Amino acid sequence: MFAPSELETLRSACATGAWLPLARAITRVEETPPWSIALPAVERPTHVVGITGPPGAGKSTLTAALITTCADAGMRVCVLAIDPSSPVSGGAVLGDRLRMEKALLGRTNVFVRSLASRGAHGAIAPATRNVARLCELTDAFDIIIIETVGAGQSEVAIAELADTVLLVTVPGLGDAVQAIKAGFLEVADMVIVNKADRPDAPETVRHLRMNIPRSTEILQTVATDLTGVPELKAALDARWQKVTESTDLTVLREGKFAEEAAMLAEAWTKASAVGVPVEAAEGFEKAVRRILEEAAARWTM
Amino acid sequence: MATDRSRIKVIIAKPGLDGHDRGAKVVARALRDAGMEVVYTGIFQTPESILRSVIQEDADVLGLSSLSGAHLEYAIEISELLKQNGADDVLFLVGGTIPSEDADALRAVGVAEVFGPGTPTGDIIKFIEEKVPDARLATA
Amino acid sequence: MDDVTESSAITADDVEEWRNGRLARDFERIPPRAKEFTTLSGIPIKDVYTSADLDGIDERNDIALPGEYPYTRGVHASMHRGRPWTIRQVAGFGQAEDTNGRYKYLLAHGETGLSTDFDLPTLLGYDSDHPIYGREVGKIGVAVDTVVDAHALFDGIPLEEVSTSLTINAPAGVLMAMYRVVGDERGISGDKLTGTTQNDILKEYTAQNEFIFPPEASCELVVDTMEYCADVMPRFNPVSMSGYHVREAGCTAAQEVGLTIAGALCYLELGVDRGIDPDKIAPRVSFFWDVHNDFFEEIAKLRAARRLWARLTRDRLKCKDPRSWLMRAHCQTAGVSLTAQQPLNNIARTAVQALAAVLGGTQSLHTNSFDEAFAIPSEEAIKVAVRTQQILLAETGAADVVDPLAGSYYVETLTKQVEEEALDLIERLDAMGGMVQAVITGYANQLIADSSWEQQVKVESNQRTIVGVNDFVDDDYSVGGIELFKPDPGVLDRQLKRLAEVKRERSDRDVTEALTAIEKAAPNLKTNLMPLIEQAVRARATGGEICDVLRGQWGEHSPSTVF
């Protein structure tokens, strides 16, 4: 879908801080049926971090804090913020950018794009995977943050999209563990207890510790004043370093065929309902075949 | 609809210090209910932050809400920034307490329409739906 | 009921018979204009009210007499038969002398109290020489950077005779100190100064968005000002609890009352926590209500608010001084009801709203100008607004009787309903920890946003007609040939020159010393900062400098993200 020359132009534009071509390219990806998009393989991967969690946990505030901390450390930051589309009208109020505005003031090395879920079951826009990959292909970023609503099956979807999944929660959600669906706890690479200055924070941390795998880190933050956020950044950097130095990344990424297939199938079903051109059927078949081949290769390893 | 987009993308912004946001929020909700994807940037925005939102979100429409009397200065500056950054194909709308002669001055700098307080949201929706395809096609 | 000679009360059965008989027959001939009738806020309006509706309302305890607890009928026995309400029109634009000019114009035309609107930089604790906000200086209010501007603002105005309301919130302490210092430097003692600072910071977080610092510190600062005023300017009202703004932001009449009184309780209870006797600070808490289109609902609202306040101050706060139980109120006609379409219609709207305020027992009134959907008021339009009040006072008889709607089956019922709904909201807010918590969690904002949306839906689905907007529509936007107000482009330059001059002439050492004292004291929220702020103001520190110190210590609050 994107010729190598187009990608080159995109890279140069982003390098000079001219974001419009990337923004327009993202729109194209949003508007193209997923089976028609064949992006080249990523040669220089960027850390894709997914942030999810129940409503009220302060995800957007934490994202803003992470933007501030990473950008001020010289990192180039990309944020994809996903909000649910109205099931009734199909429209959406994309309210995450609003919460990040302060973090964007005067920082030119940050790119934020709001995406509507557009009715996806996973509450993650179907185009998100490809948008993230496109952003990676520009070589313009040192970190790509995908922020989602903690609804639907988004915990599974985000796990298939991101290299690192952060689950953000807060004390005072009643039973912290119950408040987080079982799926979240299993896929999280790190659990962040935000508003950690609350008196009930230590208890929440204890309770979580008893209920999640040993290998999952728990960090505490107070996103509103950046407490704990530099430590979070350091943990993310360390994790990315470890992953890129081994073959873990390949394993991490190429195994995520199931979600891709599911998204394709969903998109296909929707499109078929209103009528799809014959050529599209070929594209769909090709894409599914590719996924199945990858899967087969994986299983036989 | 002859647009290269399935959903109209709108930025609603409040520049400067004016905090009257009832109208902006009501319009955002109404546009959502009409099927558009709306980014409300919030209050206390600068022309630069508004430009950045328009560009990064690849907006079809920019709606400026101003009840503070400084609408002309902000609109002029934003209009300039849009031009300089290749984004002047965006449909530029202004809403708020705007005297009619200021409305003329706004149109002169590229504002497509001015909506006073109490404008039915249906009128705004209709205007956007009619105008957006033209604005997008012009750059194709 | 065919026998006309029998004299007795009308019963519920009588009403049922009437409803199924006469009324039903009327409706067969001419169907009702709507499926259901409700007040603007959504309270259902019955087809008729009778004495039966007054069951449960006790004349002595619930209605009483004017000037008597619980003050349902008015805070004074004589009300407007003695002193009429103050005609107090808000004014503010350009530099201090420009606004001073308008003050004099208004006083000459018969207004009886002053009220000031400040420009956005001043409201938000920035100076006119701020690097970014220069374009907002003097546009929708007057630019006041230092006490030198305050002197110019009141030049030639006898402060011992005229009271001034200062519409300022986050930096209210600074402006209050300026008022005190202006009086003092003119040789007028603090106890002779009368007036008000709006200074109700809670509603800024929920409605007007003119906040600077976070809620806890800001509320403690309000308590500082209340204590300071009681000591130093005992006839000055440090707080004007504002229902106006939350109403304009879209909430209902009962919510307006509930949120505002909950806010007042919040400040007073913080004061009590500090060991301040509530009777020291409650008497000078004043109120500011919106008067919207629904004539009877607004009258009922004012009566309900008075009664609820009296009961809560006496029974909940345990205030012993009857002056603590009195809700003294200023009203403003609803800005949000003004249309840009056919602007002259706004004169009619404003007149009816003003009448509701008068019959509702207001102590002070601002009537909007018909051109305010376009700009701040022109001289011609503000004159009409003043004349509207004078006509009400002199020509209609509305001021010649005290609380004439008392005993009205409808109005007493409505009064009770608004009171009950408002109290219900106060109790819900209590349960979540009070107004500060309601602000932090966004509960209050969501309440208002949802109400606002409901109203919009009603208007757009034509369940509510707005003349000239969704009915009787034409192309008329004419303002009757008057010239709309235009901000003077030279204001910024002149103000910058003056500010630079003040900075040159003042003692840098005095300013630094004063600001440092504030900086040291600020972290302890229970310390009263007002004497230190007064000191800084005297030294000609600017509002921006003082607020910057507090920003440094307390941080800044981020706007709500609620829809």
Side-chain angles (χ1 to χ4, degrees):
Chain A
M1 179 195 180
F2 284 94
S5 56
E6 277 181 276
L7 283 174
E8 242 343 284
T9 317
L10 215 50
R11 284 190 193 104
S12 324
C14 290
T16 63
W19 296 122
L20 194 52
L22 175 58
R24 294 245 153 115
I26 291 176
T27 306
R28 270 170 67 196
V29 170
E30 260 191 306
E31 296 298 328
T32 309
W35 54 83
S36 302
I37 301 180
L39 290 171
V42 170
E43 284 161 37
R44 292 167 293 278
T46 310
H47 194 180
V48 177
V49 177
I51 298 185
T52 187
K59 291 186 293 297
S60 295
T61 318
L62 184 65
T63 304
L66 211 45
I67 292 173
T68 305
T69 308
C70 292
D72 289 349
M75 290 175 86
R76 299 161 303 163
V77 183
C78 174
V79 180
L80 304 177
I82 307 174
D83 274 306
S85 299
S86 156
V88 175
S89 72
V93 166
L94 305 171
D96 290 318
R97 189 180 194 105
L98 170 61
R99 296 175 183 85
M100 296 175 207
E101 265 304 323
K102 224 170 172 181
L104 299 176
L105 266 176
R107 296 189 174 97
T108 51
N109 49 345
V110 185
F111 178 91
V112 175
R113 176 65 172 247
S114 311
L115 297 169
S117 69
R118 295 197 176 174
H121 277 305
I124 291 190
T128 310
R129 163 189 291 274
N130 285 315
V131 170
R133 185 160 298 165
L134 178 67
C135 291
E136 239 184 328
L137 287 167
T138 62
D139 296 323
F141 304 108
D142 299 306
I143 186 170
I144 297 174
I145 300 173
I146 305 180
E147 192 207 324
T148 78
V149 196
Q153 256 72 61
S154 61
E155 66 276 11
V156 173
I158 194 66
E160 301 294 357
L161 279 180
D163 301 313
T164 303
V165 176
L166 301 183
L167 168 61
V168 186
T169 184
V170 280
L173 282 184
D175 182 339
V177 175
Q178 293 292 48
I180 302 167
K181 290 181 288 186
F184 275 129
L185 287 174
E186 277 150 26
V187 303
D189 295 302
M190 293 184 204
V191 173
I192 317 294
V193 175
N194 192 28
K195 301 190 191 174
D197 51 350
R198 284 179 52 141
D200 42 354
E203 202 202 305
T204 304
V205 174
R206 260 197 310 272
H207 201 161
L208 283 165
R209 189 73 277 169
M210 292 191 297
N211 285 278
I212 62 180
R214 234 14 115 58
S215 54
T216 309
E217 267 186 273
I218 300 181
L219 285 105
Q220 298 185 53
T221 58
V222 180
T224 46
D225 64 14
L226 301 183
T227 305
V229 181
E231 288 82 352
L232 172 57
K233 173 184 173 302
L236 288 172
D237 289 342
R239 204 184 124 81
W240 184 242
Q241 179 128 1
K242 184 162 166 288
V243 150
T244 47
E245 280 169 4
S246 63
T247 51
D248 287 357
L249 185 62
T250 324
V251 171
L252 203 57
R253 290 198 174 186
E254 290 181 3
K256 298 182 185 197
F257 52 82
E259 175 58 22
E260 194 170 349
M263 276 187 165
L264 267 179
E266 189 184 337
W268 178 255
T269 312
K270 278 222 182 91
S272 306
V274 291
V276 199
V278 168
E279 313 80 73
E282 257 183 54
F284 177 64
E285 226 186 274
K286 252 205 210 123
V288 171
R289 189 164 297 138
R290 178 173 57 80
I291 292 171
L292 289 176
E293 278 165 9
E294 280 182 28
R298 179 99 178 82
W299 280 330
T300 56
M301 260 161 70
Chain B
M1 204 163 62
T3 180
D4 59 349
R5 214 173 193 154
S6 58
R7 298 258 161 221
I8 300 176
K9 190 88 171 271
V10 182
I11 306 276
I12 293 183
K14 288 198 65 66
L17 301 175
D18 165 33
H20 294 94
D21 58 1
R22 176 180 183 174
K25 288 182 171 179
V26 157
V27 170
R29 234 163 135 163
L31 295 183
R32 187 260 321 262
D33 288 353
M36 302 186 198
E37 292 175 348
V38 185
V39 176
Y40 171 57
T41 66
I43 56 178
F44 303 146
Q45 297 299 296
T46 62
E48 290 77 17
S49 68
I50 293 172
L51 171 76
R52 180 181 48 222
S53 295
V54 169
I55 287 185
Q56 292 183 354
E57 300 290 346
D58 190 18
D60 296 308
V61 183
L62 168 61
L64 217 63
S65 157
S66 172
L67 290 95
S68 80
H71 42 266
L72 217 44
E73 287 97 326
Y74 282 121
I76 290 172
E77 190 175 335
I78 290 167
S79 164
E80 275 304 289
L81 286 174
L82 290 172
K83 253 193 220 84
Q84 286 164 21
N85 289 273
D88 53 335
D89 57 342
V90 77
L91 187 68
F92 192 0
L93 307 175
V94 174
T97 44
I98 320 274
S100 6
E101 11 177 296
D102 285 6
D104 295 332
L106 288 169
R107 286 193 197 92
V109 295
V111 172
E113 189 53 278
V114 173
F115 298 104
T119 303
T121 54
D123 289 2
I124 303 175
I125 291 166
K126 202 155 143 255
F127 187 85
I128 292 175
E129 285 174 349
E130 280 168 14
K131 296 288 180 192
V132 166
D134 298 351
R136 263 315 248 229
L137 277 178
T139 51
Chain C
M1 200 179 103
D2 294 318
D3 188 334
V4 186
T5 57
E6 234 188 78
S7 163
S8 64
I10 292 173
T11 65
D13 284 342
D14 292 328
V15 172
E16 210 35 44
E17 201 188 311
W18 168 89
R19 184 172 286 133
N20 297 328
R22 283 187 207 280
L23 186 65
R25 286 195 296 276
D26 267 9
F27 282 149
E28 263 163 53
R29 281 188 305 118
I30 300 172
R33 283 185 297 111
K35 267 208 208 62
E36 53 155 17
F37 290 87
T38 70
T39 64
L40 190 62
S41 299
I43 299 177
I45 304 175
K46 288 176 10 170
D47 41 29
V48 73
Y49 291 80
T50 65
S51 59
D53 290 293
L54 298 186
D55 284 345
I57 296 176
D58 181 300
E59 187 178 2
R60 191 176 285 279
N61 292 312
D62 297 328
I63 304 178
L65 286 165
E68 224 177 54
Y69 180 92
Y71 309 103
T72 314
R73 304 198 64 181
V75 290
H76 303 302
S78 61
M79 282 304 294
H80 305 139
R81 277 162 75 107
R83 188 196 329 192
W85 68 91
T86 306
I87 299 176
R88 192 186 294 280
Q89 301 291 93
V90 136
F93 53 85
Q95 286 188 292
E97 26 283 278
D98 301 316
T99 300
N100 180 269
R102 180 150 294 186
Y103 281 165
K104 288 173 172 152
Y105 174 83
L106 288 166
L107 289 169
H109 279 285
E111 96 162 350
T112 44
L114 299 178
S115 177
T116 318
D117 257 349
F118 297 92
D119 67 6
L120 279 165
T122 306
L123 291 170
L124 290 168
Y126 296 117
D127 294 331
S128 302
D129 58 3
H130 191 280
I132 306 180
Y133 298 124
R135 70 187 73 186
E136 312 249 20
V137 170
K139 283 270 167 45
I140 55 155
V142 63
V144 172
D145 295 317
T146 67
V147 71
V148 170
D149 294 307
H151 269 291
L153 190 57
F154 297 109
D155 183 56
I157 309 273
L159 294 177
E160 319 89 312
E161 291 163 34
V162 179
S163 66
T164 308
S165 177
L166 305 170
T167 315
I168 186 94
N169 292 278
V174 175
L175 273 298
M176 180 188 290
M178 285 185 186
Y179 198 69
R180 157 99 176 111
V181 170
V182 166
D184 192 46
E185 289 180 353
R186 282 206 207 167
I188 304 171
S189 61
D191 59 0
K192 296 221 174 49
L193 294 174
T194 54
T196 307
T197 37
Q198 194 170 84
N199 195 18
D200 171 13
I201 196 67
L202 284 164
K203 64 94 169 49
E204 297 304 332
Y205 301 111
T206 60
Q208 190 166 233
N209 291 320
E210 286 166 12
F211 47 76
I212 306 175
F213 322 110
E216 283 105 337
S218 303
C219 289
E220 295 288 351
L221 184 56
V222 171
V223 178
D224 290 354
T225 59
M226 290 163 104
E227 201 181 27
Y228 171 80
C229 267
D231 291 336
V232 150
M233 285 194 292
R235 295 173 63 204
F236 192 88
N237 304 306
V239 167
S240 176
M241 295 305 307
S242 305
Y244 182 83
H245 312 82
V246 291
R247 189 67 189 278
E248 292 284 295
C251 74
T252 65
Q255 289 167 345
E256 183 188 345
V257 175
L259 288 168
T260 307
I261 290 184
L265 293 172
C266 176
Y267 301 135
L268 289 172
E269 285 171 345
L270 281 173
V272 166
D273 281 347
R274 274 205 220 178
I276 303 174
D277 176 5
D279 281 316
K280 178 174 180 183
I281 50 180
R284 280 287 164 206
V285 171
S286 63
F287 285 79
F288 172 30
W289 300 116
D290 202 339
V291 263
H292 217 303
N293 280 326
D294 193 309
F295 186 71
F296 296 109
E297 184 173 57
E298 295 303 287
I299 294 170
K301 179 187 82 185
L302 294 177
R303 302 172 89 247
R306 273 196 297 273
R307 180 158 79 207
L308 190 53
W309 181 245
R311 290 176 167 166
L312 289 169
T313 45
R314 196 187 71 168
D315 301 336
R316 170 171 165 157
L317 293 178
K318 310 279 189 248
C319 292
K320 299 194 184 47
D321 186 343
R323 288 173 306 168
S324 297
W325 310 332
L326 295 181
M327 171 181 276
R328 294 156 313 114
H330 170 76
C331 288
Q332 174 166 339
T333 58
V336 86
S337 71
L338 302 176
T339 60
Q341 300 86 333
Q342 302 168 31
L344 295 175
N345 293 346
N346 293 325
I347 299 175
R349 294 188 173 102
T350 301
V352 175
Q353 292 160 1
L355 180 59
V358 169
L359 295 178
T362 192
Q363 278 59 60
S364 167
L365 180 60
H366 162 105
T367 31
N368 291 331
S369 300
F370 65 85
D371 56 358
E372 283 191 75
F374 297 108
I376 64 179
S378 59
E379 273 192 349
E380 292 89 338
I382 208 172
K383 191 174 100 170
V384 172
V386 171
R387 296 286 178 257
T388 301
Q389 295 195 42
Q390 290 160 338
I391 289 168
L392 285 177
L393 176 58
E395 298 180 18
T396 67
D400 299 344
V401 60
V402 180
D403 191 32
L405 290 166
S408 150
Y409 309 132
Y410 178 42
V411 172
E412 291 297 355
T413 305
L414 211 45
T415 303
K416 183 154 184 263
Q417 283 172 305
V418 172
E419 183 191 7
E420 282 169 356
E421 249 191 76
L423 183 58
D424 188 69
L425 176 56
I426 292 172
E427 286 168 358
R428 267 182 290 139
L429 292 166
D430 279 338
M432 64 181 74
M435 268 310 283
V436 172
Q437 280 310 303
V439 160
I440 291 175
T441 58
Y443 176 81
N445 292 60
Q446 193 65 64
L447 190 71
I448 297 169
D450 288 342
S451 270
S452 154
W453 180 249
E454 273 171 45
Q455 314 255 14
Q456 189 70 21
V457 168
K458 285 203 182 110
V459 168
E460 300 215 355
S461 60
N462 281 11
Q463 284 169 53
R464 286 241 167 255
T465 300
I466 301 184
V467 172
V469 171
N470 60 5
D471 203 354
F472 308 107
V473 177
D474 62 25
D475 255 325
D476 172 18
Y477 288 84
S478 97
V479 284
I482 63 165
E483 218 181 283
L484 291 175
F485 172 82
K486 262 207 273 290
D488 175 353
V491 163
L492 177 60
D493 265 340
R494 292 196 297 270
Q495 186 64 13
L496 290 177
K497 282 200 183 69
R498 164 179 297 158
L499 182 54
E501 198 184 315
V502 170
K503 284 183 169 175
R504 265 195 311 272
E505 299 190 347
R506 65 187 185 177
S507 156
D508 285 338
R509 210 192 57 182
D510 287 349
V511 170
T512 310
E513 217 177 276
L515 292 177
T516 308
I518 296 174
E519 191 181 35
K520 287 212 175 76
N524 181 356
L525 297 181
K526 307 287 181 183
T527 312
N528 194 323
L529 291 178
M530 282 307 294
L532 301 176
I533 291 176
E534 185 189 313
Q535 194 57 25
V537 162
R538 261 183 218 283
R540 272 68 183 145
T542 68
E545 286 165 340
I546 296 170
C547 289
D548 280 345
V549 168
L550 296 174
R551 281 184 177 98
Q553 296 306 306
W554 295 340
E556 283 181 310
H557 181 80
S558 292
S560 151
T561 54
V562 153
F563 267 89

